[in-house]
Amino acid sequence: MSSEIIKWTSGETRLVFENISDKKDLNFLPDNAIIIIDQNVYAIYQHLVKNHKVLLVNATESIKSLESIQNIYRKFLESGVDKSSVIVGMGGGITCDIAGFASATFYRGTRLVLVPTTLLAMADAAIGGKNGVNFENHKNIIGTIRQPEKIIIDTEFLRTLPEDEIRNGMAEVIKQCIISEEELFNKIDNPGMAENIFKGIFPEDLLKRVVHIKTEIVKADEFENSRRRALNFGHTLGHIIELKQGIKHGESVAIGMMMSLKLSAHMGKCSHDTCLRVNNLLRLYNLPVETFLDISEIVSLLEFDKKKTGNNIQFVFVNDIGKVYDEPIAIDILIKSLLEVFARQV
Ligand code: NAD
Ligand code: ZN
């Protein structure tokens, strides 16, 4: 077991790496804990929560809604949750997001513990205090930034995670390597490691470094003014592809990253060799690198981007592996450049 305290501007989180999945019970939780748990996780690991109040959720993107949150508040009232209760979110990013939002708003904030059980949630969603629900077709548009008091990461949970979900999480792991460290990028660019990761054997030291990258970026910019925006690499285009093509978040981000790289290369900001290296790494983890959507359909939705201010959009460009930066770009220039790179020849 290892444990460290992360100090944020807004408080502290104890980050614990510990094997809890083979315990008999999560007996370290206080009696007044209520565990919001993904029903698929419950089906496999119910022995862990048998002595606690649980609230099962069916983790689909549609439950990230204000209606579901209201249902959770009702259950909180029925179960006697009060200001001193500990809300535990146990599951993937969806469960962590709704548990985080419910906990941040009920009684204007209750105690929160997160137990991420997907790779995406361990590497990304559970770290950094953001939570959110969707509203009127806008993803994560309502939410708060509030740090949990504890995050417990046990990579053993990944052994039961379906392969599709491993791929999904790997997209964010690869993103974190591209935005920060070439050395880490080279480390995961290894077929033997990919084979193990697909079996659910994820090196804990690697996950620690990936988590560290995210915590350092968030610590430097908890409320997203500048550095935290690098985490959006691949997401501006990725979110549009996710919405229109109906594919998983990680797959869309993989395509979004590849498109941002090709755009960066077209604008002379990075080399084609860098594009090729990322392309090959994404393929190693069975991630898609292009969309079948027409680029005109994608650019028509840039107007609705959350990071838009006036006629500019905040876009993350790449200089090299480990060297990315974001800058505002006029939407019409971005659209023109995207059309130049991706318009299909007829
Ligand atoms: P998810 O929560 O839907 O989980 C994926 C699937 O894996 C689900 O079917 C779930 O039941 C199953 N599952 C979870 N753990 C399992 C385990 N150990 N064994 C077997 N099955 C298991 O998806 P996700 O990819 O973890 O999260 C996606 C969500 O995270 C999105 O809503 C996204 O917006 C959000 N997100 C939030 C942040 C943030 O900073 N708050 C960052 C990135 C993503
Ligand atoms: Zn993401």
Side-chain angles (χ1 to χ4, degrees):
M1 179 185 128
S2 76
S3 162
E4 69 168 298
I5 303 274
I6 307 169
K7 291 193 192 305
W8 315 99
T9 319
S10 66
E12 287 184 359
T13 299
R14 178 172 290 278
L15 174 66
V16 182
F17 280 81
E18 187 182 1
N19 189 341
I20 56 167
S21 55
D22 63 358
K23 282 190 190 299
K24 288 202 178 72
D25 178 17
L26 299 186
N27 55 9
F28 55 87
L29 290 173
D31 290 343
N32 64 354
I34 179 162
I35 305 175
I36 301 180
I37 180 167
D38 178 319
Q39 64 183 27
N40 294 332
V41 174
Y42 182 79
I44 309 170
Y45 301 99
Q46 53 188 283
H47 61 282
L48 289 176
V49 299
K50 61 183 182 302
N51 296 327
H52 294 281
K53 282 185 194 154
V54 292
L55 211 164
L56 295 188
V57 292
N58 176 9
T60 57
E61 196 62 33
S62 61
I63 69 143
K64 281 182 50 172
S65 69
L66 290 172
E67 289 77 20
S68 315
I69 294 290
Q70 285 183 348
N71 285 333
I72 290 174
Y73 295 151
R74 282 187 199 101
K75 300 263 172 49
F76 281 177
L77 288 174
E78 284 164 19
S79 314
V81 170
D82 63 24
K83 185 105 187 117
S84 65
S85 301
V86 175
I87 312 296
V88 182
M90 185 166 174
I94 293 185
T95 310
C96 292
D97 267 9
I98 61 163
F101 184 64
S103 158
T105 46
F106 198 68
Y107 277 102
R108 297 198 196 98
T110 54
R111 297 167 64 194
L112 175 68
V113 173
L114 293 178
V115 183
T117 60
T118 62
L119 179 56
L120 185 135
M122 291 177 193
D124 192 1
I127 316 292
K130 271 198 196 176
N131 55 58
V133 296
N134 308 325
F135 185 65
E136 307 275 1
N137 264 332
H138 296 277
K139 209 170 135 63
N140 298 332
I141 197 172
I142 298 175
T144 71
I145 298 183
R146 188 163 176 278
Q147 302 297 344
E149 65 177 44
K150 191 170 185 182
I151 303 169
I152 305 165
I153 296 184
D154 176 2
T155 52
E156 291 293 314
F157 281 118
L158 301 178
R159 290 190 185 257
T160 56
L161 193 65
E163 200 172 303
D164 266 8
E165 297 301 338
I166 301 264
R167 285 186 323 125
N168 197 35
M170 270 318 288
E172 300 282 5
V173 170
I174 293 171
K175 176 198 77 179
Q176 246 123 283
C177 296
I178 297 172
I179 66 176
S180 59
E181 277 186 38
E182 180 164 25
E183 193 197 328
L184 213 49
F185 182 96
N186 292 338
K187 194 166 179 178
I188 59 172
D189 192 3
N190 173 331
M193 177 172 287
E195 201 177 306
N196 275 337
I197 288 178
F198 278 125
K199 287 186 202 143
I201 307 166
F202 200 100
E204 192 175 284
D205 61 333
L206 177 63
L207 192 62
K208 279 185 179 157
R209 282 178 70 185
V210 171
V211 168
H212 185 73
I213 290 168
K214 178 139 188 201
T215 55
E216 287 305 299
I217 293 178
V218 176
K219 268 202 287 192
D221 180 25
E222 197 171 345
F223 297 100
E224 191 163 313
N225 297 312
S226 57
R227 244 199 108 192
R228 192 168 182 161
R229 292 199 294 244
L231 293 163
N232 291 328
F233 172 50
H235 282 61
T236 303
L237 300 168
H239 278 150
I240 297 177
I241 293 162
E242 187 174 356
L243 186 76
K244 285 306 235 180
Q245 205 172 319
I247 53 175
K248 292 195 76 72
H249 182 72
E251 295 175 315
S252 337
V253 169
I255 298 171
M257 290 194 288
M258 233 20 259
M259 290 180 76
S260 307
L261 269 151
K262 286 183 181 163
L263 185 70
S264 300
H266 175 75
M267 294 174 142
K269 297 175 194 291
C270 80
S271 71
H272 290 284
D273 182 56
T274 303
C275 292
L276 191 62
R277 286 176 67 196
V278 175
N279 184 86
N280 293 346
L281 186 64
L282 292 171
R283 300 301 304 153
L284 179 62
Y285 288 92
N286 289 340
L287 285 158
V289 289
E290 30 182 50
T291 172
F292 58 69
L293 295 173
D294 200 88
I295 188 68
S296 57
E297 196 176 354
I298 297 175
V299 296
S300 67
L301 288 169
L302 278 171
E303 288 287 337
F304 303 103
D305 190 86
K306 267 191 295 187
K307 307 273 180 307
K308 183 182 151 222
T309 35
N311 289 326
N312 287 334
I313 205 161
Q314 213 54 46
F315 198 87
V316 183
F317 293 100
V318 182
N319 285 141
D320 206 343
I321 311 290
K323 295 196 183 85
V324 307
Y325 67 98
D326 80 299
E327 67 179 6
I329 175 167
I331 292 193
D332 53 350
I333 295 184
L334 179 61
I335 291 179
K336 183 172 166 286
S337 309
L338 283 167
L339 289 171
E340 280 166 10
V341 187
F342 297 104
R344 293 207 175 98
Q345 308 283 325
V346 262

